[in-house]
C-alpha cells in the first residue's frame, strides 16, 4: 500500500470545504449536467482545490473524479493505483442547504479501496480509515492543530462506537428511497423493531462506521466516486459492503462506472 498521509488529506479536504462553504453562504446558480444531475460553482471550486493538492503531494498517482475529464477505460484499466474523488457528494443536499454533503477521496489499489477520507464541511467533521489502522472521526477538523498522522489519530475518536442492538437502525438515502429499500426494511420488521434514519451523501457510510446504524441498503443507482471512500472507512471499522447480486466485496475501476446495488452492514 502506498504511504498516503491522512494529515495531507485533511489539509486538502478542509481547503476544499472552505471553497464549498464560500459558495454555500451566497446565492448560487444550479446547472444541469448531461446525466440530469445538478452542478454548482462549489463542485468546480472543490474539484480545483483537491486536484491541486493531490498533484502537489502525489504527482505520480492518477485521479479519477466526478467533475474531472472523462478518462476512457482503455487508458485507466491498467492503473494499479489511483485516487477516486467526489469533490461535492450530495449536491442536492447542498442546494437544499441542509448541510448533509461531503467531500470524498479514496485511494484505490488493485481495484479495491485501501484508504478513504470523508469531510462534512458544515459539520466540520473528518472521517478517515484504512485496513490495519482502523477508522476514526475528528470533530472541529478545520481547527485541528496536527503535525502528522500520529497526532491526528491521537486527537480523533476510534470507530466504531457501537450502540445498542435492541433496535435495528437502518440508514437510507434522503433523496433516493426505492421500493426495494422499503421491502428490505419491511423484511427486518417481521422480526425486529426497526428505526429508519435518513441522511444525505456519504454520511450514511459514516453512520454505519460509527455504529449509529446497523445497515445501509442502497438498492438504487450510484457512481463509483459516491461509495469508495465510505467503503474504505466502513471496512476499516470492521463492517462490510457487499454486492446485492452475489454478496461479494465491491470493487472499482470498472468499464461502466455506474454501481450496482449493495448492502453496507455493521460488525
Amino acid at each position: 500500500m502506498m504511504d498516503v498521509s491522512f494529515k495531507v488529506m485533511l489539509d486538502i479536504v478542509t481547503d476544499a470545504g472552505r471553497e464549498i462553504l464560500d459558495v454555500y453562504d451566497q446565492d448560487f446558480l444550479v446547472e444541469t449536467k448531461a446525466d440530469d444531475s445538478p452542478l454548482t460553482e462549489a463542485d468546480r471550486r472543490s474539484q480545483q482545490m483537491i486536484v491541486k493538492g493531490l498533484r502537489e503531494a502525489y504527482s505520480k498517482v492518477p485521479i479519477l473524479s466526478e467533475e474531472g475529464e472523462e478518462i476512457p477505460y482503455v487508458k485507466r484499466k491498467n492503473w494499479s493505483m489511483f485516487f477516486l474523488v467526489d469533490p461535492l457528494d450530495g449536491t442536492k443536499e447542498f442546494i437544499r442547504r441542509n448541510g448533509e454533503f461531503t467531500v470524498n477521496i479514496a485511494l484505490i489499489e488493485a481495484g479495491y479501496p485501501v484508504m478513504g477520507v470523508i469531510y462534512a464541511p458544515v459539520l466540520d467533521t473528518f472521517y478517515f480509515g484504512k485496513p490495519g489502522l482502523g477508522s476514526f472521526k475528528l470533530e472541529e477538523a478545520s481547527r485541528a492543530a496536527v503535525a502528522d498522522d500520529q497526532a491526528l489519530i491521537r486527537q480523533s475518536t476510534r470507530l466504531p462506537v457501537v450502540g445498542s442492538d435492541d433496535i435495528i437502525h437502518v440508514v437510507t438515502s434522503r433523496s433516493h428511497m426505492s421500493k426495494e429499500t422499503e421491502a428490505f426494511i419491511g423484511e427486518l420488521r417481521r422480526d425486529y423493531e426497526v428505526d429508519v434514519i435518513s441522511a444525505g451523501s456519504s454520511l450514511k457510510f459514516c453512520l454505519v462506521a460509527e455504529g449509529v446504524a446497523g445497515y445501509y441498503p442502497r438498492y438504487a443507482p450510484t457512481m463509483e466516486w459516491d461509495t469508495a471512500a465510505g467503503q474504505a472507512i466502513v471496512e476499516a471499522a470492521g463492517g462490510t459492503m457487499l454486492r446485492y447480486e452475489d454478496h461479494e466485496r465491491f470493487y472499482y475501476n470498472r468499464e461502466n462506472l455506474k454501481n450496482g446495488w449493495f448492502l453496507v452492514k455493521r460488525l
Side-chain angles (χ1 to χ4, degrees):
M1 183 188 303
M2 180 180 180
D3 186 18
V4 172
S5 167
F6 281 115
K7 166 63 169 67
V8 171
M9 302 299 270
L10 171 64
D11 291 342
I12 290 171
V13 296
T14 52
D15 284 347
R18 278 188 281 272
E19 295 295 319
I20 290 170
L21 291 178
D22 186 54
V23 178
Y24 191 64
D25 291 336
Q26 306 173 25
D27 292 330
F28 53 83
L29 296 175
V30 180
E31 301 173 36
T32 301
K33 296 191 289 187
D35 62 358
D36 290 330
S37 62
L39 177 71
T40 71
E41 181 64 19
D43 297 80
R44 294 193 183 93
R45 287 170 61 171
S46 178
Q47 166 77 8
Q48 292 168 359
M49 189 62 66
I50 291 168
V51 169
K52 177 178 179 289
L54 290 177
R55 285 183 174 160
E56 287 177 354
Y58 308 105
S59 59
K60 294 182 180 180
V61 181
I63 302 169
L64 180 62
S65 173
E66 177 177 14
E67 305 308 340
E69 63 178 279
E70 185 174 336
I71 301 173
Y73 182 63
V74 67
K75 182 176 179 180
R76 58 181 169 81
K77 67 178 181 179
N78 293 320
W79 286 353
S80 60
M81 175 193 311
F82 66 99
F83 288 112
L84 185 53
V85 175
D86 192 339
L88 178 49
D89 183 29
T91 302
K92 290 182 179 178
E93 315 308 330
F94 177 86
I95 293 166
R96 292 169 183 159
R97 298 184 188 272
N98 66 16
E100 295 182 349
F101 51 86
T102 59
V103 178
N104 305 343
I105 305 176
L107 179 65
I108 309 295
E109 284 192 14
Y112 292 96
V114 295
M115 69 170 291
V117 301
I118 292 173
Y119 177 59
V122 170
L123 303 176
D124 196 17
T125 301
F126 178 63
Y127 296 87
F128 60 103
K130 69 178 178 180
L133 177 68
S135 291
F136 303 85
K137 172 184 177 180
L138 177 68
E139 298 180 278
E140 298 186 355
S142 66
R143 289 175 281 186
V146 293
D148 52 32
D149 283 11
Q150 291 305 311
L152 174 59
I153 290 169
R154 284 195 300 271
Q155 293 187 37
S156 302
T157 301
R158 181 179 288 273
L159 306 179
V161 182
V162 179
S164 169
D165 286 326
D166 294 340
I167 300 175
I168 301 295
H169 300 276
V170 179
V171 62
T172 63
S173 172
R174 191 174 296 283
S175 302
H176 301 281
M177 174 68 83
S178 68
K179 65 180 186 297
E180 291 83 3
T181 302
E182 292 174 348
F184 172 84
I185 295 168
E187 285 292 319
L188 285 176
R189 282 184 167 143
R190 292 183 179 184
D191 300 308
Y192 305 99
E193 183 178 352
V194 177
D195 174 47
V196 177
I197 306 165
S198 295
S201 71
S202 59
L203 289 172
K204 296 181 285 293
F205 289 94
C206 300
L207 291 175
V208 175
E210 287 185 82
V212 174
Y215 296 93
Y216 165 32
R218 184 57 182 242
Y219 303 150
T222 56
M223 300 297 290
E224 288 196 4
W225 40 73
D226 295 320
T227 60
Q231 180 177 348
I233 292 168
V234 165
E235 290 180 344
T240 59
M241 176 178 167
L242 302 179
R243 298 197 302 257
Y244 175 83
E245 65 270 21
D246 57 10
H247 306 290
E248 293 294 325
R249 188 183 177 207
F250 228 69
Y251 69 97
Y252 292 84
N253 202 21
R254 304 181 305 273
E255 183 171 5
N256 184 345
L257 296 172
K258 182 178 286 187
N259 290 332
W261 294 359
F262 58 84
L263 177 65
V264 179
K265 187 178 178 181
R266 203 181 69 194
L267 304 175

